[in-house]
């Protein structure tokens, strides 16, 4: 079968809801990954996880929340690979939060793209760790009682050496961030604001709030943390980038 036919067949097999933010993420990643070689991907459980099936790359599904340790193993086995994981907010911040924190802490040379839609979409709409306070869902008919977790701030304080935020509605901008994240040596993390049209439709909300920061912020940790907490307007861009020895470099040089 020719490559074009494979692409057409994959396109027809996509089961995301029409209008889902995942389409923008897929497009942005395809553009970014086309500039690189030896890319391997894994994804977790949730709507985001289907992205593994829609890419013509070596890929596999992890189990719920376990993408980071899986990627660390791949990178250790073959350090020449660019190792990329797609995770969801429920997947990585409810089920697998400890794995994410430890991967950032040890500065594993892997890249994590978090599809943050603030809801469990695949199971038809329950709150996750990033759902806003007051959010009405199937699991919280009177509104979410808890404050949402801030994934970007969490990764900064956990030791990630590249931290960024992108938006599924700004594909070119997101693609550039994804490329930089994959090129970074050490743990790179990108929170991607992803509207879920079926259970948390945030297209209009983000359309009003999101703005691009000027240039990349490097080395200034305090500024990065400040950016991650801005909520009047929502900044996107590279918030933080520092050079540091990766876990694999330390371990393989012992
Ligand atoms: Fe996308 Fe939400 Fe539909 Fe899942 S349920 S495919 S996240 S719109």
């Amino acid at each position: 079968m020719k490559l074009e036919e494979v692409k057409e067949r994959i396109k027809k097999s996509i089961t995301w809801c029409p209008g889902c933010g995942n389409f923008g993420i897929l497009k942005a990643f395809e553009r970014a990954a086309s500039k690189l070689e030896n890319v391997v991907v894994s994804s977790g459980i949730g709507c985001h996880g289907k992205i593994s099936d829609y890419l013509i790359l070596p890929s596999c599904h992890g189990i719920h929340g376990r993408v980071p340790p899986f990627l660390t193993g791949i990178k250790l086995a073959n350090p020449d690979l660019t190792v990329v994981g797609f995770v969801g907010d429920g997947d990585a911040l409810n089920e697998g939060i400890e794995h994410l924190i430890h991967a950032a802490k040890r500065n594993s040379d892997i890249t994590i793209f978090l599809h943050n839609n603030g809801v469990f979409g695949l199971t038809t709409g329950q709150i996750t760790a990033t759902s806003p306070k007051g959010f009405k869902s199937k699991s919280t008919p009177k509104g979410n009682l808890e404050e949402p977790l801030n994934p970007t701030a969490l990764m900064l304080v956990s030791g990630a050496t590249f931290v960024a935020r992108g938006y599924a509605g700004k594909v070119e901008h997101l693609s550039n961030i994804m490329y930089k994240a994959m090129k970074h040596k050490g743990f790179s993390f990108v929170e991607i604001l992803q509207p879920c049209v079926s259970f948390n439709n945030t297209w209009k909300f983000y359309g009003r709030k999101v703005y691009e920061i000027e240039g990349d912020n490097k080395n200034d940790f305090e500024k990065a943390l400040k950016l991650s907490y801005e909520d009047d307007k929502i900044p996107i861009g590279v918030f933080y980038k520092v050079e540091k020895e990766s876990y694999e470099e330390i371990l393989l040089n012992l």
Side-chain angles (χ1 to χ4, degrees):
M1 192 183 284
K2 287 183 185 148
L3 185 62
E4 285 314 309
E5 287 172 341
V6 175
K7 281 185 185 168
E8 204 45 44
R9 195 175 267 200
I10 290 174
K11 214 168 158 192
K12 284 187 186 149
S13 73
I14 294 180
T15 56
W16 288 327
C17 310
C20 173
N22 280 322
F23 286 98
I25 299 173
L26 175 62
K27 198 182 275 182
F29 178 72
E30 282 174 336
R31 278 186 205 170
S34 68
K35 298 176 201 156
L36 296 165
E37 284 180 356
N38 297 326
V39 179
V40 177
V41 307
S42 176
S43 57
I45 304 298
C47 293
H48 81 275
K50 298 178 187 177
I51 200 165
S52 284
D53 302 335
Y54 306 150
L55 292 164
I56 308 177
L57 285 171
S59 66
C60 53
H61 273 287
I63 52 171
H64 230 157
R66 270 62 171 185
V67 166
F70 191 57
L71 298 185
T72 302
I74 297 174
K75 187 73 189 178
L76 276 171
N78 188 348
D80 293 334
L81 298 175
T82 297
V83 181
V84 178
F86 298 89
V87 301
D89 44 309
D91 172 59
L93 299 171
N94 285 77
E95 276 84 7
I97 191 165
E98 72 280 21
H99 293 293
L100 190 64
I101 290 171
H102 281 270
K105 173 181 164 291
R106 66 171 74 101
N107 197 30
S108 247
D109 189 12
I110 62 174
T111 298
I112 295 286
F113 296 130
L114 171 75
H115 300 222
N116 186 6
N117 60 14
V119 74
F120 278 105
L122 193 66
T123 49
T124 69
Q126 298 81 18
I127 57 159
T128 67
T130 59
S131 302
K133 192 170 182 189
F135 179 66
K136 286 192 178 160
S137 72
K138 282 188 179 162
S139 58
T140 53
K142 294 191 175 175
N144 184 13
L145 305 179
E146 302 173 32
E147 293 288 347
L149 203 137
N150 180 331
T152 308
L154 177 69
M155 288 297 93
L156 282 166
V157 298
S158 299
T161 49
F162 180 105
V163 178
R165 187 189 283 144
Y167 172 41
K170 286 187 178 280
V171 173
E172 193 52 31
H173 183 262
L174 177 60
S175 181
N176 288 334
I177 290 177
M178 287 175 135
Y179 177 74
K180 287 177 189 173
M182 289 188 283
K183 290 287 282 178
H184 176 75
K185 182 177 66 65
F187 185 84
S188 51
F189 174 84
V190 184
E191 175 191 7
I192 306 169
L193 308 172
Q194 182 235 311
C196 164
V197 286
S198 297
F199 302 106
N200 190 16
N201 193 344
T202 46
W203 280 118
K204 282 187 184 156
F205 174 79
Y206 287 135
R208 280 195 314 272
K209 292 250 192 184
V210 161
Y211 80 95
E212 294 172 26
I213 63 169
E214 269 183 44
D216 295 348
N217 176 50
K218 295 178 186 163
N219 302 312
D220 189 341
F221 185 80
E222 268 181 42
K223 185 177 172 189
L225 210 51
K226 234 182 202 171
L227 283 167
S228 76
Y229 276 106
E230 260 185 49
D231 64 356
D232 197 20
K233 285 282 189 180
I234 302 176
I236 54 172
V238 176
F239 288 6
Y240 190 61
K241 177 176 165 55
V242 283
E243 301 301 327
K244 203 177 158 191
E245 213 174 13
S246 73
Y247 175 70
E248 290 75 17
E249 280 176 327
I250 297 169
L251 192 64
L252 295 171
N253 287 327
L254 281 180

